[in-house]
């Protein structure tokens, strides 16, 4: 973050819009630190996306095809015909501004074009010009404008300053889903090969190897083997995960970030410990080294690409002959699963309605998708007294919880994560209610924006969440921010280092792993980060 402004500079924000000119007359200024690098041609080629090329967003020439306007216009018309929601969202906005101050990027930047209403207006203005009578006749007086290269560049710049978190939609009196407008706009720019590489590369990797990071099956297995070594050092017990086993009852799929990126790796260690603990109670579960990704960067590209990448989970469950699927801690993974999976790739007639083999609980909300979130699975275990837990092992933590946009607003998982946290931790504190649950603020870097080159944008977008964390840190001494999303764990770690460096980031199942009490374990003196447990600082083996 060497070139990123200092926090005290970033916090100086002017929310006053320009008074002398209208937004249509304000030219786009693509600034360093606010945009992501353009997509590499090899990544677009691999998945068959159009017009792969080397291009730089700061250059005047974006190497557009000669007929680019016709491509966009035809793409616009096609989607208006196919997606009734897009047509509806184009027409019903009254520009009341209820969403304006709800976006973390507008709050953190003061840029008027980051108001959700105005970001969508960038696209609506072109819609009016070519698809409404008033716009065709009256032009600018009807809020319409011609499609030209400056407009296209403005689209691209601001469409990638939206994390599709849907907080704005919560406050819209008409229920306009601005995230769908962002997806629609990104689909149009992708018709011209205008993606960002932080999205295009994970998409290509996932299509090629089954996960965003491009991890080969043997490397995936080796990494989990490394975790079992670490756990054995801490507990004296050897975890025994298996892979790609046909006939297992349950297939477990988690984001690849849990396997290869701290602090998600500690969450993955928690999964391994949980599954080992439950094996004697009847848990029959296997990991896949092929469907090794729950997340879906295709969702940040197009509905078609999301469907394409999501298909691997059902395909692998069918190949292995499992009964149902258990999914790890992730955000956009669960947005796709909860809202789209059954229509994208289902119905999964080869799977059964999920039933916990430990408690007998039927997970009714997974009746159609056949996939259960691990936080609800574990909450059910705790409720039925199936886990022996020592909460004091997390007494060095004062914890608050970040509701991930997708699992909170997109699924309604409000109480389950809090129930689990309170079951494994004695010190839990809520952030202000206007920043949690359905009103939660985004981490600031979702929807493919978790890059290194757009760090100023990320820190500005992360400011609202960081402010709420700072409040509970100063009032209650909170030193750990828990979440159930792999992107959150990666993003919030950097955001906390920048805004509230006294606060760390953890997945909930890292704390579950710390608290689990195994029969035959050696005296536990270390947590999963190999740091001393409370009261064990002076132990000889530390």
């Amino acid at each position: 973050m060497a070139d990123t402004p200092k926090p005290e500079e970033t916090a100086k924000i002017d929310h006053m819009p320009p008074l002398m000119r209208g937004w249509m007359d304000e030219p786009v200024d693509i600034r360093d630190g606010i945009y992501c690098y353009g997509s590499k041609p090899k990544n677009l080629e691999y998945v068959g996306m159009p017009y792969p090329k080397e291009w730089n967003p700061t250059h005047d020439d974006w190497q557009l095809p000669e007929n680019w306007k016709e491509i966009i216009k035809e793409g616009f018309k096609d989607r208006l015909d196919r997606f009734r929601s897009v047509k509806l969202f184009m027409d019903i906005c009254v520009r009341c501004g209820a969403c304006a101050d709800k976006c973390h990027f507008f709050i953190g930047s003061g840029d008027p074009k980051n108001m959700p209403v105005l970001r969508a207006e960038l696209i609506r203005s072109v819609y009016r010009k070519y698809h409404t009578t008033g716009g065709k006749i009256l032009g600018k007086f009807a809020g319409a404008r011609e499609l030209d290269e400056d407009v296209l560049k403005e689209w691209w710049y601001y469409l990638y300053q939206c994390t599709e978190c849907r907080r704005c939609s919560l406050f819209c009196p008409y229920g306009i889903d601005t995230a769908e407008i962002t997806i629609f706009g990104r689909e149009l720019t992708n018709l011209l090969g205008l993606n960002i590489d932080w999205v295009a590369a994970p998409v290509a990797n996932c299509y090629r190897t089954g996960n965003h990071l491009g991890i080969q099956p043997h490397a995936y297995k080796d990494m989990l083997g490394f975790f079992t070594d670490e756990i054995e050092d801490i507990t004296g017990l050897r975890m025994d995960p298996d892979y790609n086993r046909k006939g297992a009852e349950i297939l477990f799929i988690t984001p690849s970030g849990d396997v290869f990126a701290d602090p998600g790796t500690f969450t993955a260690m928690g999964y391994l410990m949980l599954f080992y603990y439950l094996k004697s109670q009847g848990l029959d579960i296997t990991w896949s080294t092929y469907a090794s990704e729950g997340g879906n960067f295709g969702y940040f590209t197009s509905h078609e690409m999301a469907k394409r990448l999501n298909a691997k989970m059902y395909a692998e469950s069918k190949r292995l002959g499992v009964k149902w699927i258990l999914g790890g801690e992730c955000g956009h993974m669960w947005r796709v699963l909860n809202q789209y999976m059954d229509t994208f790739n289902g119905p999964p007639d080869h799977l059964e309605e999920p039933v916990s083999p430990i408690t007998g609980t039927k997970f009714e909300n997974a009746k159609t998708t056949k996939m259960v979130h691990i936080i609800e699975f574990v909450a059910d275990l705790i409720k039925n007294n199936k886990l022996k837990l020592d909460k004091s092992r997390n007494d060095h933590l004062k914890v608050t919880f970040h509701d991930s946009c997708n699992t909170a607003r997109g699924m309604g998982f409000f109480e389950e994560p809090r129930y689990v946290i309170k079951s494994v931790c004695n010190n839990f504190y809520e952030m202000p209610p206007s920043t949690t649950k359905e009103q939660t603020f985004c981490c600031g870097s979702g929807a493919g924006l978790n890059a290194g080159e757009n760090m100023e944008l990320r820190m500005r977008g992360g400011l609202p969440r960081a402010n709420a964390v700072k409040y509970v840190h100063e009032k209650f001494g909170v030193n750990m921010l828990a979440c159930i999303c792999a992107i959150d764990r990666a993003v919030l770690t950097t955001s906390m280092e920048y805004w509230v460096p006294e606060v760390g980031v953890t997945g909930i199942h890292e704390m579950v792993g710390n608290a689990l009490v195994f029969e035959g374990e050696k005296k536990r003196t270390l947590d999963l980060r190999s740091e001393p447990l409370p009261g064990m600082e002076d132990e000889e083996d530390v």
Side-chain angles (χ1 to χ4, degrees):
M1 291 194 285
D3 298 327
T4 306
K6 300 295 183 185
E8 55 270 20
E9 297 172 9
T10 305
K12 295 176 181 177
I13 304 163
D14 181 7
H15 289 96
M16 179 65 70
L19 300 178
M20 301 303 293
R21 291 190 293 185
W23 66 267
M24 288 190 189
D25 301 314
E26 197 70 32
V28 64
D29 176 23
I30 298 178
R31 291 200 303 110
D32 286 343
I34 303 295
Y35 74 94
C36 294
Y37 297 147
S39 48
K40 298 294 183 185
K42 65 177 183 179
N43 293 320
L44 299 188
E45 288 170 354
Y46 199 89
V47 291
M49 292 178 67
Y51 298 105
K53 55 185 175 288
E54 289 283 356
W55 68 289
N56 188 323
T58 62
H59 292 176
D60 291 336
D61 183 7
W62 280 19
Q63 303 180 46
L64 303 174
E66 288 186 9
N67 64 333
W68 72 267
K69 288 186 182 181
E70 286 68 32
I71 292 171
I72 292 292
K73 290 177 183 178
E74 183 58 35
F76 216 128
K77 181 179 182 303
D78 172 62
R79 284 156 181 78
L80 288 173
D81 291 340
R82 283 195 294 135
F83 301 121
R84 184 171 58 180
S85 60
V86 173
K87 180 71 164 61
L88 188 67
F89 296 155
M90 288 293 104
D91 285 332
I92 65 174
C93 177
V94 296
R95 291 175 280 184
C96 68
C99 64
D101 61 345
K102 307 305 186 295
C103 176
H104 48 283
F105 283 126
F106 174 65
I107 294 171
S109 71
D111 187 338
K113 291 178 184 177
N114 270 326
M115 295 179 184
V117 59
L118 189 44
R119 192 188 296 116
E121 199 70 12
L122 304 180
I123 298 175
R124 283 196 187 97
S125 59
V126 175
Y127 163 77
R128 293 190 189 102
K129 179 63 181 177
Y130 300 106
H131 297 279
T132 69
T133 302
K136 292 175 182 178
I137 298 173
L138 299 175
K140 190 174 180 179
F141 292 103
R145 59 177 179 167
E146 294 278 356
L147 176 64
D148 58 27
E149 285 196 25
D150 288 337
V151 169
L152 178 67
K153 291 178 179 181
E154 189 177 52
W155 275 11
W156 180 87
Y157 188 51
Y158 286 101
L159 286 170
Y160 288 97
Q161 293 183 48
C162 170
T163 51
E164 304 174 12
C165 80
R166 289 177 164 89
R167 189 172 193 265
C168 53
S169 302
L170 184 71
F171 296 91
C172 175
Y174 291 95
I176 295 172
D177 190 342
T178 306
E180 289 291 326
I181 298 176
T182 295
I183 295 169
F184 165 63
R186 287 190 181 186
E187 286 193 17
L188 294 180
T189 59
N190 271 289
L191 295 175
L192 305 177
L194 303 178
N195 205 316
I196 63 173
D197 208 54
W198 197 249
V199 170
V203 164
N205 286 338
C206 198
Y207 187 66
R208 182 173 62 251
T209 69
N211 59 74
H212 294 152
L213 299 178
I215 305 165
Q216 298 290 340
H218 66 278
Y220 192 91
K221 181 176 181 294
D222 288 347
M223 198 64 190
L224 289 177
F226 171 74
F227 295 159
T228 63
D229 293 339
E230 293 287 299
I231 296 169
E232 187 172 15
D233 289 342
I234 294 167
T235 66
L237 303 173
R238 185 75 181 175
M239 308 295 106
D240 58 349
D242 65 34
Y243 313 92
N244 311 316
R245 178 165 54 86
K246 291 186 176 182
E249 180 180 1
I250 303 168
L251 170 64
F252 179 65
I253 300 177
T254 196
S256 56
D258 283 350
V259 180
F260 270 79
D262 290 347
T265 53
F266 307 117
T267 300
M269 292 168 69
Y271 301 151
L272 289 167
M273 295 172 72
L274 176 70
F275 299 158
Y276 178 80
Y277 184 97
L278 295 173
K279 187 175 181 179
S280 63
Q281 298 184 46
L283 185 71
D284 181 19
I285 194 165
T286 193
W287 299 62
S288 172
T289 60
Y290 299 103
S292 49
E293 179 66 70
N296 195 326
F297 271 59
Y299 184 55
F300 311 140
T301 304
S302 70
H303 290 90
E304 287 76 12
M305 191 62 73
K307 175 180 178 178
R308 188 175 177 183
L309 298 184
N310 193 70
K312 68 183 180 299
M313 292 192 281
Y314 278 165
E316 183 70 345
S317 67
K318 189 171 186 177
R319 184 182 76 87
L320 296 179
V322 301
K323 292 183 179 179
W324 55 278
I325 307 172
L326 182 67
E329 295 184 8
C330 187
H332 60 274
M333 164 185 177
W334 285 99
R335 171 79 74 181
V336 173
L337 298 179
N338 188 56
Q339 293 191 303
Y340 301 101
M341 186 171 187
D342 198 23
T343 50
F344 272 176
N345 306 114
D349 297 332
H350 62 284
L351 296 173
E352 300 177 7
E353 182 179 347
V355 177
S356 172
I358 314 299
T359 67
T361 297
K362 278 190 175 183
F363 297 101
E364 297 286 346
N365 61 317
K367 194 170 186 176
T368 59
T369 63
K370 311 298 193 293
M371 191 159 180
V372 174
H373 195 296
I374 193 167
I375 200 71
E376 126 184 78
F377 179 71
V378 171
D380 175 64
L381 291 170
I382 294 173
K383 181 181 178 182
N384 286 280
N385 298 312
K386 298 300 182 181
L387 301 179
K388 185 176 181 181
L389 301 165
D390 182 355
K391 298 168 68 172
S392 69
R393 290 178 179 172
N394 287 310
D395 276 353
H396 56 307
L397 305 178
K398 292 187 176 181
V399 180
T400 192
F401 178 65
H402 165 69
D403 289 277
S404 303
C405 303
N406 293 302
T407 50
R409 263 191 300 276
M411 294 185 74
F413 271 150
F414 301 141
E415 301 309 324
E416 293 90 342
R418 288 170 170 81
Y419 177 71
V420 174
I421 291 173
K422 291 174 183 177
S423 299
V424 299
C425 172
N426 284 310
N427 307 301
F428 176 72
Y429 305 92
E430 287 279 15
M431 286 182 273
S434 60
T435 72
T436 61
K437 298 185 179 179
E438 67 271 15
Q439 295 190 42
T440 186
F441 274 110
C442 179
C443 65
S445 305
L449 303 187
N450 184 24
E453 63 268 20
N454 65 336
M455 194 61 73
E456 181 181 341
L457 175 70
R458 289 175 51 191
M459 295 306 101
R460 290 188 178 280
L463 175 59
R465 170 48 73 222
N467 273 340
V469 175
K470 186 176 182 181
Y471 171 79
V472 290
H473 166 67
E474 293 178 347
K475 185 170 184 178
F476 303 113
V478 162
N479 59 12
M480 188 60 73
L481 176 60
C483 56
I484 51 172
C485 172
I487 292 293
D488 284 340
R489 282 192 290 279
V491 167
L492 290 170
T493 298
T494 306
S495 184
M496 291 301 105
E497 288 173 356
Y498 184 81
W499 288 114
V500 200
E502 303 87 354
V503 177
V505 177
T506 182
I508 290 180
H509 285 84
E510 176 185 347
M511 295 190 292
V512 171
N514 283 338
L516 274 174
V517 179
F518 292 83
E519 287 188 17
E521 68 179 5
K522 73 176 188 180
K523 183 178 181 181
R524 296 274 287 275
T525 60
L526 301 175
D527 64 15
L528 293 187
R529 302 190 185 198
S530 293
E531 297 173 354
L533 290 172
M536 298 294 176
E537 293 81 2
D538 298 326
E539 289 291 315
E540 291 182 358
D541 57 344
V542 174

